[in-house]
mmCIF file of all heavy atoms in Angstrom:
data_model
loop_
_atom_site.group_PDB
_atom_site.id
_atom_site.type_symbol
_atom_site.label_atom_id
_atom_site.label_comp_id
_atom_site.label_asym_id
_atom_site.label_seq_id
_atom_site.Cartn_x
_atom_site.Cartn_y
_atom_site.Cartn_z
ATOM 1 N N GLY A 1317 105.365 110.758 111.759
ATOM 2 C CA GLY A 1317 104.400 110.545 112.822
ATOM 3 C C GLY A 1317 104.767 109.403 113.729
ATOM 4 O O GLY A 1317 105.921 109.088 113.901
ATOM 5 N N ILE A 1318 103.742 108.703 114.264
ATOM 6 C CA ILE A 1318 103.942 107.583 115.076
ATOM 7 C C ILE A 1318 103.374 106.376 114.362
ATOM 8 O O ILE A 1318 102.272 106.282 113.974
ATOM 9 C CB ILE A 1318 103.175 107.659 116.400
ATOM 10 C CG1 ILE A 1318 103.625 108.804 117.251
ATOM 11 C CG2 ILE A 1318 103.151 106.332 117.147
ATOM 12 C CD1 ILE A 1318 102.870 109.078 118.473
ATOM 13 N N ARG A 1319 104.278 105.380 114.072
ATOM 14 C CA ARG A 1319 103.901 104.200 113.411
ATOM 15 C C ARG A 1319 102.940 103.413 114.180
ATOM 16 O O ARG A 1319 103.132 103.387 115.444
ATOM 17 C CB ARG A 1319 105.153 103.358 113.061
ATOM 18 C CG ARG A 1319 104.947 102.297 112.015
ATOM 19 C CD ARG A 1319 104.713 102.979 110.685
ATOM 20 N NE ARG A 1319 104.457 101.975 109.642
ATOM 21 C CZ ARG A 1319 105.330 101.802 108.594
ATOM 22 N NH1 ARG A 1319 106.383 102.430 108.468
ATOM 23 N NH2 ARG A 1319 105.004 100.873 107.690
ATOM 24 N N ALA A 1320 101.884 102.901 113.635
ATOM 25 C CA ALA A 1320 100.778 102.215 114.434
ATOM 26 C C ALA A 1320 100.403 100.914 113.833
ATOM 27 O O ALA A 1320 100.137 100.897 112.637
ATOM 28 C CB ALA A 1320 99.604 103.144 114.618
ATOM 29 N N ILE A 1321 100.146 99.958 114.601
ATOM 30 C CA ILE A 1321 99.444 98.742 114.278
ATOM 31 C C ILE A 1321 97.998 98.944 114.733
ATOM 32 O O ILE A 1321 97.793 99.281 115.977
ATOM 33 C CB ILE A 1321 100.018 97.454 114.908
ATOM 34 C CG1 ILE A 1321 101.453 97.273 114.368
ATOM 35 C CG2 ILE A 1321 99.138 96.232 114.627
ATOM 36 C CD1 ILE A 1321 101.510 96.860 112.905
ATOM 37 N N VAL A 1322 97.009 98.718 113.924
ATOM 38 C CA VAL A 1322 95.672 99.077 114.279
ATOM 39 C C VAL A 1322 94.805 97.748 114.068
ATOM 40 O O VAL A 1322 94.773 97.220 112.992
ATOM 41 C CB VAL A 1322 95.038 100.169 113.350
ATOM 42 C CG1 VAL A 1322 93.610 100.546 113.849
ATOM 43 C CG2 VAL A 1322 95.935 101.446 113.469
ATOM 44 N N GLU A 1323 94.123 97.364 115.169
ATOM 45 C CA GLU A 1323 93.241 96.194 115.088
ATOM 46 C C GLU A 1323 91.843 96.702 115.078
ATOM 47 O O GLU A 1323 91.424 97.551 115.981
ATOM 48 C CB GLU A 1323 93.296 95.295 116.348
ATOM 49 C CG GLU A 1323 92.460 94.131 116.246
ATOM 50 C CD GLU A 1323 92.438 93.338 117.615
ATOM 51 O OE1 GLU A 1323 92.244 93.967 118.648
ATOM 52 O OE2 GLU A 1323 92.627 92.134 117.434
ATOM 53 N N VAL A 1324 90.993 96.371 114.073
ATOM 54 C CA VAL A 1324 89.623 96.678 113.913
ATOM 55 C C VAL A 1324 88.714 95.570 113.917
ATOM 56 O O VAL A 1324 88.832 94.632 113.162
ATOM 57 C CB VAL A 1324 89.434 97.539 112.534
ATOM 58 C CG1 VAL A 1324 88.092 98.085 112.474
ATOM 59 C CG2 VAL A 1324 90.503 98.604 112.397
ATOM 60 N N VAL A 1325 87.886 95.527 114.955
ATOM 61 C CA VAL A 1325 86.918 94.359 115.170
ATOM 62 C C VAL A 1325 85.600 94.871 114.953
ATOM 63 O O VAL A 1325 84.991 95.673 115.783
ATOM 64 C CB VAL A 1325 87.095 93.755 116.534
ATOM 65 C CG1 VAL A 1325 86.160 92.608 116.738
ATOM 66 C CG2 VAL A 1325 88.546 93.313 116.774
ATOM 67 N N PRO A 1326 84.829 94.488 113.847
ATOM 68 C CA PRO A 1326 83.525 95.042 113.570
ATOM 69 C C PRO A 1326 82.489 94.561 114.550
ATOM 70 O O PRO A 1326 82.718 93.543 115.200
ATOM 71 C CB PRO A 1326 83.195 94.503 112.135
ATOM 72 C CG PRO A 1326 84.079 93.419 112.009
ATOM 73 C CD PRO A 1326 85.216 93.566 112.799
ATOM 74 N N GLY A 1327 81.398 95.342 114.626
ATOM 75 C CA GLY A 1327 80.308 94.919 115.525
ATOM 76 C C GLY A 1327 79.510 96.145 116.005
ATOM 77 O O GLY A 1327 80.138 97.217 116.363
ATOM 78 N N GLY A 1328 78.242 96.038 116.018
ATOM 79 C CA GLY A 1328 77.324 97.052 116.511
ATOM 80 C C GLY A 1328 77.390 98.250 115.761
ATOM 81 O O GLY A 1328 77.561 98.298 114.581
#
Side-chain angles (χ1 to χ4, degrees):
I1318 295 175
R1319 198 64 182 247
I1321 295 293
V1322 183
E1323 178 188 54
V1324 185
V1325 181

